[in-house]
Amino acid sequence: MIQLKINNIELSVPEKTTILNAARMNNINIPTLCYYPDLGLQSDCRICVVEIDGQKGLATSCSTKVREGMVVKTNSPRVLNARKTITELILSNHDANCTACPKNLKCELQSLANKLGIDQNRFEPVLRVKPIDTSNPSLIRNPNRCIKCGRCIDVCKNVQGMNVLELMGRGHDAEITPAYGRFLSDESCTYCGQCASVCPVGAIIENDETDRVWKQLHDKDKTTIVQVAPAVRVSLGEALGLPIGSIVTGKLVTALKLLGFHYVFDTDFTADLTIIEEGHELLHRVTNNGVLPMITSCCPGWINYAEQRYPSILSHISTCKSPQQMFGALAKTYFTKIIQKEPKDVIVVSIMPCTAKKYEAKRDEMKSDGIHQDVDIVLTTRELSKMLDQMGVDFAKLDETPFDNPFGITTGAAAIFGATGGVMEAALRTVYEVVNHQPLESIELTEVRGLDGIKETSVELGGNVYRFAVAHSLSNAKTLVDQVSNGTSPYTFIEIMCCPGGCIGGGGQPYGTIQKTRRDRIEATYLLDQSMPLRKSHESPAVKEIYRAFLGEPLGELSHKLLHTHYHSRQHT
Amino acid sequence: MDLTQLLAQYPHEENRLIDLLLDIQKQKNNHFISEQEIQMVAKHIGVSEAKVCSVISFYTLLSFHPRGRYVIQICRDIPCHINHSASIVGTLEQLLGIQMGQTTQNGLFSLEYSSCLGHCDAPPSMRIDGRTYVHLTPDKVKAIISEYRGRTP
């Protein structure tokens, strides 16, 4: 242990602790801007500077380790003045029209300026206005708000292994952009939105479509349907003042009804359906010498990655549409018939933890009638929380309402789709039973749970042992995909989720997601599974009913038409 | 030497990126790195194109855009500035008939600023084609330029 003094308080902290963490462990708050707990150290912004006795210059506390006998001041006049000056300089090169920014009141720079008591800026504005990147349906990049903290570069490069964004130029001309200063749509961006989830300001944000939803909700000629992804019910609460990991399914349904949606359905229903279709596809591939390993297709960030970077392995990806798109296809065919409406008069909105889902919904092949998109508008968890704020709902006090039918009865297998390993576990619960005619010894496949980057398990099916693997975040996915690409993959089935932790850590989830948040949301996910009366997709009465009343059989003609899709190479260079 | 041959001489290591980029530029009379070259370098080194662009954008020695046969870089740091580098810039602009950041029509000269050239003891300074000139005066600049004009490129 190291003994040191911060602000005259004697502290004892483990070796190699940074001054910042030593202070925080002892309830001394040092403000930061570029620092983000899970990302690499940067000491870029210099907001966290402190004064160390015997040292001439101020030191960045995020990157300076404690030393024996160190005497640190985190709030001396010199420190406070430096922080204020740095913040003013950042603000002078920032589009600080806060009320015209979607991050208003959620912005770390704004909050810092407020805490430092900046009520005017001594420096003249020097911002040179640059074009805003609105090239894609998922993310908006506004360089005029960027403060060059580098978090987006770090997450894109080190978590996702993509490195789409980089710092270009130097000094006052520096800008964070894709290669050649191009737009995100010109580069191999997967639209995962991890950059948006760590951006401290409003420089990278999801394409906000809340106004479009409000408009549809108030259009008397439209029937509005909403579907909610598995991961949203364990994260939305955080954005509305409840503790992290709160399960808010019932309140969420009530809130969506209050917003005015005619039908509130559960994407978990099509998650169960995905398991039936994907499970049968896997068995078909195994028994018919098909392309193996098969890889999951639920995650649009992963699909974008594969289409752009690994076109040679596209035949390995399950042809199943994602649960979002299966839902859209059924809503605009089966359900419109039930309610006797035309697809043009029905609006399907999804609430997703994801920014890439916005892109997926707009894909050309996602039109069951050939004209209208199956899913019209995708909102992230953050956008939904914004709509609820706008409506003035006291979310915590809402009653609980069940989902509407016919897409409301679901199983625990669908509930765990949101956590990394969940799709694999759900699939094996069903596939094992279909093949071996007896249930898994333990329904909970703990080997594929948790936050290890790559997880694997093996399961006996029909007398043969098969290996299965799970990866989350694209840098981990790359390891498994490289094996597939060079023919050395030992697995039969692989689950890939683009975001760290799976969808519960998606790019559209409430701000402030760190490893602890992911863990809490995952814990809530498995609690939810445990609490469900049905925990295997093939036991879902709603799934049985849709095959009986509409689809016929898994992998049948109608399934093929509505629930399956194809992929194409979109390699940029 | 074509690019493939040049790349073959470099290991797939990120720490050789700058050397490689400088080498590519040196092979070309117009001293720049094209998009196609960036793509090939990125692939060879095993980094993203954005990373290569970032490195090129950081160093004044490296350029995305075609430049003249002789690239004239004038130090814009403080010791040169207070020793009247502005008058050197003025003389060069007048002599060559171009502004800073431009290239002469005949493709012979480009004018750009550089960060410190390491000759703060002898300001103002500039660099042409890898050679540094110090203690500059307008007359000295005129002589240097006519000497370059006289060379057969």
Side-chain angles (χ1 to χ4, degrees), chain B residues 81 83-94 124 136-138 141:
Chain B
H81 180 77
N83 283 283
H84 313 293
S85 60
S87 77
I88 303 304
V89 169
T91 308
L92 281 164
E93 285 183 337
Q94 205 182 7
L136 294 174
T137 61
V141 167

Side-chain angles (χ1 to χ4, degrees), chain A residues 210 213-214 217 379 383-391:
Chain A
T210 51
V213 174
W214 280 123
L217 287 171
L379 297 182
E383 285 167 270
L384 176 63
S385 81
K386 186 190 270 184
M387 284 186 79
L388 296 176
D389 275 342
Q390 286 168 1
M391 197 177 56

Side-chain angles (χ1 to χ4, degrees), chain B:
Chain B
M1 199 185 316
D2 77 359
L3 185 58
T4 328
Q5 287 172 312
L6 189 66
L7 287 174
Q9 296 177 1
Y10 281 82
H12 307 282
E13 285 168 17
E14 197 174 333
N15 59 12
R16 298 301 304 279
L17 179 57
I18 295 174
D19 296 335
L20 174 56
L21 292 171
L22 285 170
D23 219 355
I24 291 170
Q25 272 199 172
K26 219 188 322 177
Q27 313 277 329
K28 299 163 73 173
N29 274 338
N30 50 3
H31 305 293
F32 86 109
I33 298 163
S34 68
E35 247 180 71
Q36 201 203 346
E37 285 160 344
I38 291 172
Q39 284 165 18
M40 289 177 73
V41 167
K43 218 172 163 188
H44 181 83
I45 297 278
V47 295
S48 73
E49 286 172 54
K51 177 76 200 177
V52 180
C53 289
S54 174
V55 168
I56 296 173
S57 72
F58 188 83
Y59 294 103
T60 42
L61 275 175
L62 298 166
S63 173
F64 290 106
H65 311 290
R67 296 186 285 181
R69 170 69 189 83
Y70 301 114
V71 179
I72 306 172
Q73 294 181 309
I74 301 135
C75 175
R76 75 179 333 177
D77 270 310
I78 292 162
C80 288
H81 180 77
I82 57 179
N83 283 283
H84 313 293
S85 60
S87 77
I88 303 304
V89 169
T91 308
L92 281 164
E93 285 183 337
Q94 205 182 7
L95 268 175
L96 301 174
I98 54 172
Q99 304 284 303
M100 290 302 287
Q102 295 178 338
T103 300
T104 53
Q105 288 248 311
N106 61 9
L108 205 55
F109 295 102
S110 288
L111 270 185
E112 6 181 282
Y113 284 112
S114 163
S115 39
C116 182
L117 295 171
H119 290 276
C120 308
D121 57 325
S125 67
M126 68 176 179
R127 179 171 53 197
I128 306 180
D129 209 18
R131 189 170 160 199
T132 313
Y133 298 87
V134 297
H135 283 312
L136 294 174
T137 61
D139 284 344
K140 211 166 162 182
V141 167
K142 278 176 203 156
I144 294 167
I145 294 301
S146 11
E147 197 256 312
Y148 274 95
R149 277 184 170 145
R151 290 189 192 182
T152 14

